[in-house]
Amino acid sequence: MKELKNVFLLTLKEKRDVTLAVFFGFLAGIAGVALLASSGYLISKAALTNQMTTLVVMAACLKLFGLVAALSRYAERLFSHRATFTMLSHLRTSFFEKLSPQAPAIFHKYRSGDLLARIVGDVESLQNFLLRILYPPVVLAIVFLSTIFFASFFSIAIAAVLMIGLLVTVVMVPAIFSWKRRKMDSAVRESRSALSTETAEFLYGFRDLKIHQQLSDREKELTSIAKRYSAEQKREGLEENFGQSLNGTVSLLVSWAVLGLGAYLVASGQLDGLYLAMLAMISLAVFENVAPMAVFPAHFENNRKAALRLDGITEKSTTEERRGELAAGPLGVSLNHVSFHYPGELRPAIDEASLYIAPGTKTAIVGPSGSGKSTLMQLLLGIIKADNGTVTFGNQSISDISQEELWASMNIVLQENHFFHGTIRSNLLIANEQATDEQMVEALKKVQLDSFALSMKVEEKGGNLSGGEKQRLAIARALLKGGSFWLLDEPVSSVDNMTARRIYQQLFDRGANDTFVLISHELAGLEKMDQIIVMEQGRIKEAGSYDKLMAQKGYFHGLKQIEKSILSS
Ligand SMILES: Nc1ncnc2c1ncn2[C@@H]1O[C@H](COP(=O)(O)OP(=O)(O)OP(=O)(O)O)[C@@H](O)[C@H]1O
């Protein structure tokens, strides 16, 4: 039950609506009982006596109870649904607030389809928390107890039968179904998540699957997952129907028992025959309210699992508050014996790395593919957290700095950069909403994209731009940002050498006093860097200026020789 504590607290934020929903739910239920009770009484009275005044009063009561029942049901629906939708909006907001600090590292752990299934499906499942879990048992209990109390004035035995009926339909049957559902795994939820995940993979990889003639195989796989999902839904539906039927049967049996017992009591002179029809009708009416309890176990278990899965994503995110402030001006950064393992990997991607990047200097990080350069970048960005060791900006540990503050001071260009459907202008404004057209045109010029008009259309994911154009547009975006710490992960790998050099020149001229950290496969042109850090298998092999590393005749020198021999052959 503790899994649902958070949803419960969010629902309680809507105390007023919840209380009104319970009140009107009770009123609708009790008015329904009163309606049938008075009609039973009316029928008996009409059959056994001829007091017109009583009949007229009872007929008026019938109308009144009918009206109250209908209006109260409307009010109950109104307040309960309003509370539910407000609670859902609180839930989405609080979930998103917990989730967003974990992005983009969260994709190391969850596939995007699975996340979508959780964000949409599981949050939606929780809309049933108030409507089907929290208040139906409360309303039902009050309606039932009031009815049993009323019936006890006429016959204690009939009140006891109603009480037994209550215990069976509200406690026993749901408890048995709850226990059964707990034993079943959450197959529907899991197959829904599998369907969503595989559909996302299918859509992302559609082109490649088509090229490799794997489309039909994947389609078959997807169809079988979809069928499994339908089958699980059907099984769940049947289970719910069975619960409802069982509860309905028990309710009718109880009504029969009331009638039979009532008839016996009338025959033995212990009950006035005038009340027999009324008590039988009461029993029929009160058990009508029991129907929601049949689906209670299904909804309870669904909600419990949904809350558990949502908590699973966000449990680590209730992180400590980060209060540290970054110093003004260009930043320096140091790593002290930092290690990092990707989850489930044996080999560390970063192994005991220590380095210092002074403020206002230019550092290149080089090394073979897979040596840990991008992982190091992610550590500097705070996207992933070191398992051991410390990352410090100025004199602040990265764990004390809020991600927003850190990123606000950085100009970041990654290997892959996202572009939104829109125009060049709208994509540039992401970096700086205040940027003027002149500044944007100037930035485009600096990355040799003078031919681009600001109004030029950009397709989804920059589909109409070449790889090199996308990289240059990303650099233009970074130029507009105005931070003083540059993190560039192979920013011009798809750009021709001549253009790449011009762009670097522009960047270094523009940020003469800024700190640059550049990841590169290219060993040419590193003479201008203040420091070169050479990585291999997650370790820092060497660090120093170009001249120092060449004079040292170590690893970097070796790489340069290999490069030279390849170029000359
Ligand atoms: N999300 C991940 N999960 C598990 N292992 C990963 C993940 N990302 C990278 N790795 C592993 O970590 C190691 C370092 O990868 P990283 O991307 O940092 O290398 P790199 O030097 O940037 O490579 P490249 O030059 O090819 O971009 C590699 O062995 C890689 O397989």
Side-chain angles (χ1 to χ4, degrees), residues 318-389:
T318 43
T319 42
E320 64 295 350
E321 233 180 290
R322 298 172 174 193
R323 292 175 184 283
E325 278 200 10
L326 280 173
L331 282 173
V333 63
S334 61
L335 264 68
N336 194 8
H337 297 288
V338 168
S339 297
F340 175 78
H341 277 88
Y342 282 102
E345 298 290 318
L346 290 177
R347 198 172 64 83
I350 298 292
D351 192 3
E352 286 278 318
S354 296
L355 59 88
Y356 175 63
I357 295 170
T361 59
K362 296 171 183 52
T363 299
I365 301 175
V366 298
S369 179
S371 55
K373 305 181 294 292
S374 300
T375 307
L376 189 70
M377 176 85 134
Q378 293 194 59
L379 282 164
L380 292 178
L381 281 167
I383 293 175
I384 51 177
K385 268 187 168 180
D387 302 332
N388 295 307

Side-chain angles (χ1 to χ4, degrees), residues 321-475:
E321 233 180 290
R322 298 172 174 193
R323 292 175 184 283
E325 278 200 10
L326 280 173
L331 282 173
V333 63
S334 61
L335 264 68
N336 194 8
H337 297 288
V338 168
S339 297
F340 175 78
H341 277 88
Y342 282 102
E345 298 290 318
L346 290 177
R347 198 172 64 83
I350 298 292
D351 192 3
E352 286 278 318
S354 296
L355 59 88
Y356 175 63
I357 295 170
T361 59
K362 296 171 183 52
T363 299
I365 301 175
V366 298
S369 179
S371 55
K373 305 181 294 292
S374 300
T375 307
L376 189 70
M377 176 85 134
Q378 293 194 59
L379 282 164
L380 292 178
L381 281 167
I383 293 175
I384 51 177
K385 268 187 168 180
D387 302 332
N388 295 307
T390 52
V391 179
T392 316
F393 280 89
N395 51 7
Q396 290 288 338
S397 161
I398 194 166
S399 54
D400 292 336
I401 307 166
S402 78
Q403 214 164 44
E404 283 74 24
E405 195 188 353
L406 184 65
W407 292 5
S409 66
M410 288 177 168
N411 303 327
I412 303 160
V413 182
L414 300 174
Q415 281 183 23
E416 299 269 338
N417 301 283
H418 188 82
F419 297 98
F420 294 89
H421 175 85
T423 58
I424 295 286
R425 180 186 285 106
S426 65
N427 275 285
L428 287 175
L429 285 174
I430 286 171
N432 178 1
E433 284 180 351
Q434 318 298 332
T436 61
D437 280 4
E438 289 72 38
Q439 287 169 322
M440 287 189 262
V441 169
E442 185 62 26
L444 287 175
K445 217 182 261 176
K446 285 196 165 131
V447 294
Q448 320 282 306
L449 283 179
D450 329 38
S451 58
F452 278 19
L454 290 178
S455 57
M456 190 181 123
K457 196 178 141 210
V458 175
E459 287 177 9
E460 198 178 64
K461 292 188 184 173
N464 58 332
L465 304 175
S466 75
E469 283 169 344
K470 279 194 242 180
Q471 287 187 327
R472 285 183 281 161
L473 196 56
I475 298 173

Side-chain angles (χ1 to χ4, degrees), residues 1-2 67 84 131 135 165 168 235 329 348 351 428 443 450 473 479 506 537 562:
M1 194 65 179
K2 67 175 185 304
L67 196 66
T84 292
L131 297 178
Y135 91 81
V168 174
R235 196 162 68 101
D351 192 3
L428 287 175
D450 329 38
L473 196 56
L479 277 164
Q506 291 283 359
Q537 295 195 357
I562 296 169

Side-chain angles (χ1 to χ4, degrees), residues 59-96:
C61 281
L62 273 182
K63 286 195 174 164
L64 179 69
F65 289 139
L67 196 66
V68 170
L71 288 179
S72 304
R73 193 61 78 198
Y74 172 78
E76 176 218 2
R77 294 281 145 87
L78 176 73
F79 292 117
S80 61
H81 282 74
R82 197 166 72 182
T84 292
F85 290 124
T86 322
M87 179 280 279
L88 272 186
S89 107
H90 292 322
L91 183 69
R92 285 200 191 94
T93 316
S94 89
F95 180 69
F96 187 76

